[in-house]
Amino acid sequence: MAGKKKGKDKSEPQSVLYYFYTQERWDNWILTLKEMDFEGDPESEEMPEGLASLDNFTKDLNVSALKIIKLVDNGSYNQEMALAKLNEVEEIIMADLPEDELTDILGGVQMRFLVLFMSCKNYIRGEIGEGEIKNLVKEGRAISDEDPEAALKIAADIGAKVLDGGSCCGKYLRGDFENPTMFDDWLIEVDEMGESLKTLKNFDEQFGEA
């Protein structure tokens, strides 16, 4: 459990003094996306370049945030340090957006990442929650339209469980959703969090354990 390594009062180790996400990185992504075509060729089966780049954009954000989780797990960061770093990333990602051609697209990205940041905070604080994932998915879908705030909290509980080693959410996302809810989008993000964690399996070797 992650909670065993969070309470130590320590200075930030030199091996992990690096930027997880910067304003410059975010701005560069935005400039890149503005040059992309999101419509694509209607006669082509290929994903429009804008959507493909947006997919890489969101994966990059996921990995950046989840590096903080890895540093909690290996004991390099205590709770206070981890939450401070996560807040720095969140302030960049969730800042007010200018009114332009990407406003709606980036607004959707921000809505999606509500569950990322809430899940990470729950995990860092050791608030994993009770209940089985399959039951939480059912509960979240049942209230998604009526109480989005409560549905987000349930999705974040699921996310924290995934960060703690649980499995979600591919099998709950099979089939075509004619009218996907925001809760479904949050489940997609939780699934992406799980996949991003797999890419960080060699994180300690890359950056050095404290």
Side-chain angles (χ1 to χ4, degrees), residues 9 16 60 63 70 77 79 89-90 93 103 116 131 136 139 168 170-171 179 188-189:
D9 183 14
V16 292
D60 184 56
V63 169
K70 295 294 290 184
Y77 274 4
Q79 183 181 112
V89 179
E90 184 177 18
I93 307 308
T103 300
L116 168 68
L136 292 173
E139 181 182 352
C168 192
K171 63 183 178 181
N179 297 298
I188 292 172
E189 167 55 24

Side-chain angles (χ1 to χ4, degrees), residues 78-150:
N78 62 22
Q79 183 181 112
E80 182 180 1
M81 292 161 59
L83 289 174
K85 286 294 184 182
L86 187 67
N87 286 336
E88 289 177 11
V89 179
E90 184 177 18
E91 287 175 4
I92 294 171
I93 307 308
M94 306 303 288
D96 292 338
L97 299 171
E99 291 291 335
D100 59 30
E101 65 272 21
L102 288 179
T103 300
D104 290 342
I105 293 173
L106 294 177
V109 170
Q110 288 182 329
M111 185 67 68
R112 169 179 172 169
F113 278 111
L114 287 173
V115 74
L116 168 68
F117 293 112
M118 187 176 290
S119 297
C120 288
K121 290 176 183 178
N122 286 353
Y123 180 79
I124 291 169
R125 293 174 180 138
E127 299 170 357
I128 307 301
E130 301 295 331
E132 295 185 15
I133 287 178
K134 64 179 181 179
N135 294 331
L136 292 173
V137 169
K138 183 177 180 180
E139 181 182 352
R141 284 204 169 120
I143 66 171
S144 180
D145 293 332
E146 299 175 1
D147 194 344
E149 185 175 347

